Amino acid sequence: DTGVSQNPRHKITKRGQNVTFRCDPISEHNRLYWYRQTLGQGPEFLTYFQNEAQLEKSRLLSDRFSAERPKGSFSTLEIQRTEQGDSAMYLCASSPGTGGKSPLHFGNGTRLTVT
Amino acid sequence: AQTVTQSQPEMSVQEAETVTLSCTYDTSESDYYLFWYKQPPSRQMILVIRQEAYKQQNATENRFSVNFQKAAKSFSLKISDSQLGDAAMYFCAYRGDKIIFGKGTRLHILP
């Protein structure tokens, strides 16, 4: 068990560019979550997957955002036409089973800076 | 929709003293879970303690304990014998299908 891994750790991009982040959950964790966190705030839910199925998307996830988990293992989060307001830490987390009492195990996050 | 409220943006405590962080939540569900997470400056979220709503007994993990008042929808965290390593952001979280976090309390430990 190597924990949740996120890549890259940091990403600086110019406004209007597309970016993609990757998350590798703890193996055999069925659920995978994406959160966004701005400085001094709590993580905000974006979306989550049960295996390869995307079960819920927050209204924070505009049509410029898309997330996939094609084989039920790793996941990618893509942001198209980035805006300065997208600058944040993007956190990935995973948990076993179908929810319930299992806490989320978080990765170190990907910090996005849009200039 | 569930909400989680942490009314103390920042708190300070003297090393070795006890501090209590407050959290209230709102839900219409009867079965759920509550968590406290710690986020040190390195930013990885770490689980501190969990509480199942159907259990009346308050959870305890070493120096960390909770005061869970289900009827009042209150879930406070008590840290005893505070240590310098306890300095971090603390987030209260409600667990349904997803976890909803409060805005956090920044805890400072004064040497």
Side-chain angles (χ1 to χ4, degrees):
Chain A
D1 179 357
T2 57
V4 178
S5 175
Q6 291 188 247
N7 288 288
R9 290 294 303 275
H10 303 275
K11 179 70 177 178
I12 300 174
T13 191
K14 292 186 177 181
R15 188 176 54 188
Q17 298 295 305
N18 299 343
V19 294
T20 300
F21 310 141
R22 176 177 170 127
C23 172
D24 288 89
I26 293 172
S27 59
E28 299 179 355
H29 275 194
N30 297 322
R31 288 210 167 178
L32 186 148
Y33 301 77
W34 285 100
Y35 285 82
R36 182 174 68 188
Q37 187 179 25
T38 52
L39 200 61
Q41 299 295 313
E44 296 174 298
F45 170 77
L46 293 179
T47 187
Y48 82 96
F49 294 83
Q50 175 75 31
N51 298 314
E52 66 275 10
Q54 189 173 20
L55 296 187
E56 187 174 344
K57 289 167 53 174
S58 164
R59 53 191 167 85
L60 293 174
L61 215 64
S62 75
D63 56 4
R64 296 184 298 105
F65 288 71
S66 62
E68 294 182 343
R69 194 183 183 198
K71 297 182 179 179
S73 56
F74 73 91
S75 175
T76 58
L77 177 68
E78 180 183 17
I79 309 175
Q80 296 182 328
R81 305 182 303 282
T82 51
E83 302 173 357
Q84 287 186 325
D86 297 331
S87 296
M89 177 74 83
Y90 290 84
L91 297 172
C92 177
S94 68
S95 71
T98 56
K101 66 180 180 182
S102 301
L104 270 57
H105 299 260
F106 283 86
N108 285 313
T110 293
R111 177 176 292 285
L112 173 65
T113 302
V114 182
T115 61
Chain B
Q2 294 87 13
T3 59
V4 177
T5 302
Q6 294 180 250
S7 58
Q8 305 151 316
E10 287 194 64
M11 291 194 71
S12 297
V13 63
Q14 208 74 35
E15 193 176 3
E17 295 296 309
T18 295
V19 64
T20 298
L21 309 183
S22 301
C23 173
T24 58
Y25 60 95
D26 190 25
T27 183
S28 58
E29 298 175 345
S30 59
D31 190 19
Y32 51 87
Y33 298 86
L34 297 164
F35 303 96
W36 278 97
Y37 277 87
K38 170 184 177 181
Q39 191 176 41
S42 66
R43 298 199 67 117
Q44 184 169 31
M45 300 277 280
I46 303 167
L47 178 69
V48 175
I49 197 166
R50 79 179 81 179
Q51 174 78 43
E52 291 121 341
Y54 66 86
K55 287 188 176 180
Q56 292 187 334
Q57 186 174 6
N58 290 323
T60 299
E61 288 287 342
N62 301 312
R63 298 183 295 108
F64 299 87
S65 61
V66 299
N67 183 5
F68 174 49
Q69 302 289 329
K70 189 172 184 179
K73 295 180 182 174
S74 170
F75 182 61
S76 61
L77 174 70
K78 185 171 80 172
I79 307 174
S80 303
D81 186 25
S82 298
Q83 300 175 0
L84 293 177
D86 295 332
M89 283 288 287
Y90 285 82
F91 294 100
C92 177
Y94 171 97
R95 173 67 145 133
D97 278 338
K98 56 186 182 287
I99 288 187
I100 305 297
F101 290 87
K103 292 187 180 297
T105 297
R106 182 172 299 280
L107 179 64
H108 303 276
I109 310 296
L110 307 174

